[in-house]
Amino acid sequence: MHCSCTHSPKNYQIWYHRRALLEFRFKPVKPDMDVLSIATKELDYVDRVLCDDSKNYHAWSHRQWILRTINNPQLWADEIKYAHAMILKDPRNNSAWNQRYFALHRGEVGAFGDLLSFDEADEQINYAIECAKLDPYNESPWRYLMGVVTEQWRHANKRGDSGELAKVNELVKESITRTKETQKILNEMPVDDKPTGPCANLLSAL
């Protein structure tokens, strides 16, 4: 496929043209190796684009379209690892954090049936706070944390199950406690080791 986004990576029209060409390669979508091979090669191609500009919205959007279209369990699992690797490269890359959230929900962010389990939510809360401890002034992990907790809270209230509400309430309390612990660590840091002024992102999450 010769439609290249490499020379104009932020031209959304070229990305949509590439998508239109790929639609013919992906139909009918079946879990066979040929389709998976095409999808994997395309994801590798997008990775090369993101290596030049890790916050290219159109490239991330294209990755999401591929994952949704193929909807293969292995690709979803691999994408969580990919997003993690991109976060390690740049913890302030909000696009990578968004991609991790997207992959965990298998492209159905906010859908009632794709709510993270309590164990998964707890794991993601731990992930966000551990990343936040490395740089409390980084907005991305705090936004991620708020997204996970808010989702659990809203869905529990929507269901109205008292047992589930109690579990979510404990999840919220634990998140508050751990956020306060991070705040304490930040407050105890030497003045020369931290930016001046309050940590607005931490306070917002709290």
Side-chain angles (χ1 to χ4, degrees), residues 69-89:
T69 301
I70 303 302
N71 195 25
N72 177 269
Q74 187 58 53
L75 289 185
W76 286 119
D78 290 344
E79 193 66 11
I80 295 171
K81 296 176 183 177
Y82 177 79
H84 172 64
M86 295 296 281
I87 289 170
L88 290 180
K89 287 182 180 179

Side-chain angles (χ1 to χ4, degrees), residues 123-134:
E123 182 180 348
Q124 296 313 307
I125 288 168
N126 180 67
Y127 180 86
I129 291 178
E130 288 302 311
C131 289
K133 285 180 179 179
L134 300 176

Side-chain angles (χ1 to χ4, degrees), residues 73-111:
Q74 187 58 53
L75 289 185
W76 286 119
D78 290 344
E79 193 66 11
I80 295 171
K81 296 176 183 177
Y82 177 79
H84 172 64
M86 295 296 281
I87 289 170
L88 290 180
K89 287 182 180 179
D90 179 8
R92 290 182 175 241
N93 186 347
N94 192 56
S95 295
W97 282 94
N98 179 67
Q99 191 74 357
R100 181 181 174 89
Y101 195 87
F102 172 87
L104 280 163
H105 289 78
R106 297 199 172 199
E108 298 296 333
V109 177

Side-chain angles (χ1 to χ4, degrees), residues 142-193:
W142 294 119
R143 289 292 173 184
Y144 187 86
L145 169 68
M146 291 162 68
V148 173
V149 173
T150 301
E151 178 188 60
Q152 292 290 318
W153 180 259
R154 286 177 177 171
H155 282 278
N157 277 276
K158 186 173 183 178
R159 292 189 178 101
D161 182 277
S162 58
E164 191 169 350
L165 282 167
K167 289 176 68 176
V168 171
N169 192 41
E170 288 302 314
L171 199 67
V172 174
K173 286 181 178 179
E174 178 65 19
S175 299
I176 293 172
T177 298
R178 297 197 62 191
T179 300
K180 287 182 176 179
E181 290 173 354
T182 305
Q183 185 181 35
K184 183 179 179 181
I185 293 171
L186 178 63
N187 290 338
E188 293 175 349
M189 287 174 59
V191 176
D192 294 339
D193 293 341

